[in-house]
């Protein structure tokens, strides 16, 4: 009997045959989580990163695109859009949040998502892009092709979370959103992060 091995969610699974048009996404946390989970980069197991300190709850499914990495190519895109204080990528897989009308009770799963835009977030001089996507086939969000089609309230909810989830009372903001961009630039960010991954981990 052959032993069964689980692929590492970051290194053992591809970004998808049709990336960046449709990307495989590994979901780490869901809107009902009051604890921030993330993949342990060495083992591939889910681990507790930290309890959410305040009332900030992620308003969408949240995770990363496998076999992506944010380094020089991702940084260069931020600089090209005018971010003068960016010195590097955040050295993590590319973050992605997936909009869906369905209740998904826990993370640790794969799903296919269509990128529709994203946020050019700068966190302490690091390019920390957040891709916004929709779940393939979702009956409420699946028809959106670009972030410009979303209700502004939905964009504001996502922006508010990313701009505040690290903040402590009476402390200056740790990050900012340099730009909200559409589907075409989101695909460029995904391709850049795939290049950064190959540069660091490729054969």
């Amino acid at each position: 009997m052959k032993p069964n091995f689980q692929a590492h969610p970051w290194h053992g699974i591809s970004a998808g045959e049709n990336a960046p048009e449709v990307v495989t996404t590994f979901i780490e946390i869901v809107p009902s989580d009051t604890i921030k989970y993330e993949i342990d980069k060495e083992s591939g197991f889910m681990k507790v990163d930290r309890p959410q300190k305040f009332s900030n709850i992620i308003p969408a499914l949240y995770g990363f695109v496998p076999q992506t990495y944010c380094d020089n190519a991702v940084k260069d895109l931020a600089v090209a859009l005018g971010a003068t204080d960016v010195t590097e990528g955040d050295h993590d897989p590319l973050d992605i949040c997936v909009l869906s009308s369905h209740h998904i009770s826990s993370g640790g799963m794969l799903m296919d998502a269509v990128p529709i835009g994203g946020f050019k977030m700068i966190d302490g001089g690091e390019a920390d892009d957040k891709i916004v996507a929709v779940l393939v086939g979702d009956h409420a969000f699946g028809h959106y092709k670009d972030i410009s089609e979303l209700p502004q309230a939905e964009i504001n909810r996502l922006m508010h979370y990313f701009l505040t989830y690290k903040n402590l009372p009476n402390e200056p903001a740790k990050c900012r959103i340099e730009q909200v961009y559409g589907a075409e630039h989101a695909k460029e960010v995904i391709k850049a992060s795939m290049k950064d991954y190959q540069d660091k981990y490729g054969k």
Side-chain angles (χ1 to χ4, degrees), residues 1 16 30 39 41 43 45 47 60 62 69 71-72 83 99 101 118-120 129 149 168 188 201:
M1 184 174 180
V30 301
I39 284 296
K41 292 183 176 66
S43 69
F45 283 96
K47 70 174 184 178
Y62 183 71
Y69 185 68
D71 201 359
N72 290 324
L99 298 172
S101 58
F119 305 133
K120 185 68 66 181
D129 286 72
E149 301 170 4
L168 293 172
E188 292 303 312
Y201 297 107

Side-chain angles (χ1 to χ4, degrees), residues 175-188:
C175 55
R176 74 179 191 277
I177 291 176
E178 183 81 9
Q179 185 179 29
V180 179
Y181 50 76
E184 290 308 310
H185 188 76
K187 293 170 189 175
E188 292 303 312

Side-chain angles (χ1 to χ4, degrees), residues 72-95:
N72 290 324
V74 171
K75 176 208 69 175
D76 290 344
L77 284 177
V79 171
L81 286 181
T84 58
D85 58 338
V86 177
T87 57
E88 58 188 344
D90 73 343
H91 304 131
D92 278 331
L94 180 62
D95 296 324

Side-chain angles (χ1 to χ4, degrees), residues 157-195:
R157 284 196 334 147
L158 292 167
M159 291 177 65
H160 180 266
Y161 174 78
F162 290 121
L163 288 172
T164 61
Y165 76 114
K166 290 184 178 181
N167 286 2
L168 293 172
N170 303 316
E171 287 190 1
K174 295 180 181 294
C175 55
R176 74 179 191 277
I177 291 176
E178 183 81 9
Q179 185 179 29
V180 179
Y181 50 76
E184 290 308 310
H185 188 76
K187 293 170 189 175
E188 292 303 312
V189 173
I190 294 167
K191 288 190 287 186
S193 68
M194 293 170 69
K195 178 184 184 302

Side-chain angles (χ1 to χ4, degrees), residues 1-179:
M1 184 174 180
K2 293 183 178 179
N4 291 321
F5 295 99
Q6 179 173 299
H8 194 294
W10 183 18
H11 302 296
I13 299 165
S14 78
E17 291 184 1
N18 297 319
E21 303 295 330
V22 179
V23 293
T24 300
T25 302
F26 185 84
I27 299 300
E28 295 169 300
I29 57 176
V30 301
S32 59
D33 285 331
T34 58
I35 289 179
K36 184 178 182 296
Y37 303 101
E38 68 175 28
I39 284 296
D40 177 68
K41 292 183 176 66
E42 183 175 350
S43 69
F45 283 96
M46 291 279 283
K47 70 174 184 178
V48 173
D49 179 35
R50 63 179 181 271
Q52 300 285 23
K53 295 180 180 179
F54 304 109
S55 59
N56 303 64
I57 301 297
I58 184 73
L61 304 168
Y62 183 71
F64 63 87
V65 180
Q67 293 192 22
T68 60
Y69 185 68
C70 296
D71 201 359
N72 290 324
V74 171
K75 176 208 69 175
D76 290 344
L77 284 177
V79 171
L81 286 181
T84 58
D85 58 338
V86 177
T87 57
E88 58 188 344
D90 73 343
H91 304 131
D92 278 331
L94 180 62
D95 296 324
I96 187 169
C97 48
V98 181
L99 298 172
S100 173
S101 58
H102 296 277
H103 173 70
I104 295 176
S105 60
S106 62
M109 69 179 64
L110 296 170
M111 59 178 56
D112 290 333
V114 177
I116 64 169
F119 305 133
K120 185 68 66 181
M121 196 167 95
I122 311 301
D123 185 355
E126 296 179 347
D128 188 12
D129 286 72
K130 310 297 183 185
I131 300 298
V132 178
V134 296
L135 177 64
V136 169
D138 189 88
H139 67 278
F141 288 96
H143 66 285
Y144 290 111
K145 303 299 182 186
D146 193 88
I147 199 169
S148 62
E149 301 170 4
L150 286 179
Q152 187 61 46
E154 194 70 41
I155 299 172
N156 290 343
R157 284 196 334 147
L158 292 167
M159 291 177 65
H160 180 266
Y161 174 78
F162 290 121
L163 288 172
T164 61
Y165 76 114
K166 290 184 178 181
N167 286 2
L168 293 172
N170 303 316
E171 287 190 1
K174 295 180 181 294
C175 55
R176 74 179 191 277
I177 291 176
E178 183 81 9
Q179 185 179 29

